[in-house]
Amino acid sequence: MKPMGTIPPFFAASGDNLIIDGKAATQFIDIAGNTPLFVYDFSVVAKKIARLRAAMPAALGVHYAVKANPFAPLLQAIAPLVDGFDIASAGELAHVAGYAPGRPISFAGPGKRDAELSAALIAGTTLNCESEGEVTRTLHLAERHGVTPRLAVRVNPPFELRGSGMKMGGRASPFGVDADRVPALVRRLIAAGAEWRGFHVFAGSQSLDTAGIIETQAAALALAGALADAAGAAPPLVNLGGGFGVPYFAGDTEVDVEAVGSALGDAMTSLSPSLHATRFVLELGRWLVAECGVYLTRIVDIKQSRGEVFLITDGGLHHQLAASGNFGTVVRRNYPLAVANRMASAPLQVVSVVGCLCTPLDRLGDQAALPPAQVGDVIAVFMAGAYGRTASPENFLGHPAAAELLAGTGQQS
Ligand SMILES: *Cc1c(COP(=O)(O)O)cnc(C)c1O
């Protein structure tokens, strides 16, 4: 038997049924008309944002990184609760503009094409510039369109986010401009007439290391101060990135955001003078939305092979790649799972839960202890709200897309 992660505390059972936003999970399947299905409970997102706001210094802005989950009803619901959006493509720009119009937007990502830069410039988006070459192209395009570009410089910091599953600093990187070259670039874009928006520092993703996050944020503030001094210009904005992790696996513990917030508050009292008028923001994806999502998939077949039991479902890695261990994890471990219609039964059977794809990679649970299940039962895979459907190879093998539903907004879903 192999351990599973812990079911997020936002979900409870009533008798045999897993409850999501006051309803049996299986009722959402009736609403959607089929499995597989993602259900997102927005009340979980609202609670996370409220907790974050209470923990962080009052002046700190909170942005949502759209790529974690771009489901349109989720964007509409989250828009009033955040101070802006961070996007990573012109596709996301158009998507956010459609569903949450008029919100501040910043655009990061290497390899922005001219058409994407043009769309962002015309929309007044802040571009987090990833290279000197990108700045050159952007300045030309801005002139052609007759607009003043809003440019921030993404810094490739000389440090990385400790404990991070995906490191994005402290090394040669396609992201951002190496810190030692940043002051010259800032001077250049200001001299060219751009509206300089400040710095963007994003050092890694999925860190559960509270002390590491605190250290990284302090280092980012110190770096922003030093770069501003060297550039001779005060940044209007410093974007401290995202990267707060969530507990997916057995033994994981959550980030102590209250400790992070109080340390950040302390660090903000001893800022370099060049940052005294600066506004600071966090741009979080995963931490805000991962726990709100539950992926529901139905058991199609149960088989035994060489003494092992396989629950074969109608879902799989084409919808929920991360749970199969093939997105950003080195060693495959089990996400929290449940049999959504047998919550009152004891976990007496060790089973592997697999998807319907013809690849041994398609494993949603590996030798996990679950209640004895039957064909037609529903498996719930938790922690499916971030980097789920959007980060999965949906077209692989030609099965239908998973449905998505937003619950927990106080409206009928
Ligand atoms: C992906 C991304 C984020 C969000 O990261 P999380 O780990 O989901 O918080 C934030 N900023 C940028 C620039 C990103 O690319």
Side-chain angles (χ1 to χ4, degrees):
M1 186 184 109
K2 296 186 180 162
M4 285 189 304
T6 306
I7 294 174
F10 309 98
F11 299 101
S14 169
D16 278 331
N17 287 311
L18 171 67
I19 302 297
I20 303 173
D21 184 36
K23 285 196 186 74
T26 48
Q27 281 181 267
F28 289 98
I29 298 174
D30 296 340
I31 294 167
N34 211 346
T35 49
L37 164 70
F38 287 92
V39 183
Y40 309 117
D41 182 352
F42 189 75
S43 72
V44 174
V45 181
K47 282 178 201 149
K48 300 244 15 183
I49 293 174
R51 179 177 168 198
L52 189 74
R53 297 270 191 200
M56 292 295 150
L60 188 78
V62 176
H63 288 187
Y64 175 54
V66 172
K67 77 175 186 291
N69 188 333
F71 185 47
L74 177 68
L75 287 186
Q76 281 174 314
I78 207 171
L81 304 186
V82 296
D83 304 301
F85 290 94
D86 286 285
I87 56 158
S89 70
E92 285 188 352
L93 174 63
H95 188 60
V96 171
Y99 290 103
R103 303 310 305 265
I105 292 175
S106 57
F107 181 0
K112 301 183 193 78
R113 285 164 289 174
D114 285 2
E116 294 186 290
L117 293 170
S118 292
L121 287 166
I122 289 164
T125 302
T126 294
L127 283 153
N128 292 326
C129 299
E130 308 267 355
S131 75
E132 286 97 344
E134 190 177 283
V135 169
T136 303
R137 283 193 295 133
T138 305
L139 291 171
H140 280 305
L141 289 165
E143 203 172 299
R144 191 192 301 164
H145 296 299
V147 298
T148 301
R150 294 192 170 139
L151 306 183
V153 175
R154 180 165 180 181
V155 183
N156 175 26
F159 48 80
E160 66 188 18
L161 174 54
R162 212 169 71 205
S164 169
M166 288 187 215
K167 298 186 166 69
M168 303 177 101
R171 55 182 69 196
S173 172
F175 307 108
V177 178
D178 293 351
D180 55 321
R181 300 210 304 264
V182 167
L185 184 59
V186 170
R187 284 193 296 269
R188 186 183 137 207
L189 63 87
I190 292 173
E195 178 185 341
W196 182 47
R197 296 298 303 142
F199 297 119
H200 176 232
V201 188
F202 180 42
S205 186
Q206 179 51 18
S207 176
L208 292 171
D209 183 343
T210 298
I213 292 171
I214 289 172
E215 216 172 86
T216 302
Q217 289 188 337
L221 292 180
L223 178 64
L227 293 175
D229 290 343
L237 191 82
V238 170
N239 181 331
L240 294 167
F244 293 12
V246 290
Y248 288 107
F249 307 118
D252 282 355
T253 47
E254 65 170 7
V255 177
D256 183 347
V257 290
E258 288 72 23
V260 171
S262 84
L264 189 57
D266 289 347
M268 284 167 68
T269 60
S270 56
L271 292 173
S272 150
S274 52
L275 302 181
H276 279 177
T278 300
R279 186 173 144 71
F280 296 90
V281 301
L282 287 178
E283 47 171 12
L284 293 170
R286 187 190 311 272
W287 192 88
L288 297 180
V289 296
E291 287 146 301
C292 82
V294 184
Y295 177 62
L296 299 172
T297 177
R298 203 180 282 284
I299 300 172
V300 173
D301 193 9
I302 299 181
K303 63 183 275 185
Q304 308 229 1
S305 171
R306 297 184 186 261
E308 281 191 40
V309 178
F310 292 87
L311 308 183
I312 300 170
T313 68
D314 61 6
L317 70 74
H318 53 312
H319 301 150
Q320 186 43 0
L321 181 68
S324 74
N326 293 293
F327 186 73
T329 41
V330 179
V331 180
R332 195 209 168 284
R333 287 171 291 171
N334 287 326
Y335 272 41
L337 302 171
V339 183
N341 57 312
R342 295 190 192 276
M343 298 297 286
S345 306
L348 297 176
Q349 194 169 36
V350 174
V351 296
S352 289
V353 179
V354 300
C356 56
L357 304 191
C358 287
T359 161
L361 299 177
D362 194 10
R363 192 170 284 234
L364 298 173
D366 185 24
Q367 297 174 56
L370 289 176
Q374 292 178 10
V375 169
D377 285 353
V378 174
I379 298 289
V381 183
F382 296 90
M383 309 300 287
Y387 305 109
R389 179 178 176 196
T390 184
S392 300
E394 188 163 279
N395 294 330
F396 188 39
L397 271 80
H399 289 288
E404 294 176 294
L405 286 178
L406 189 72
T409 54
Q411 289 154 15
Q412 273 317 95
S413 43

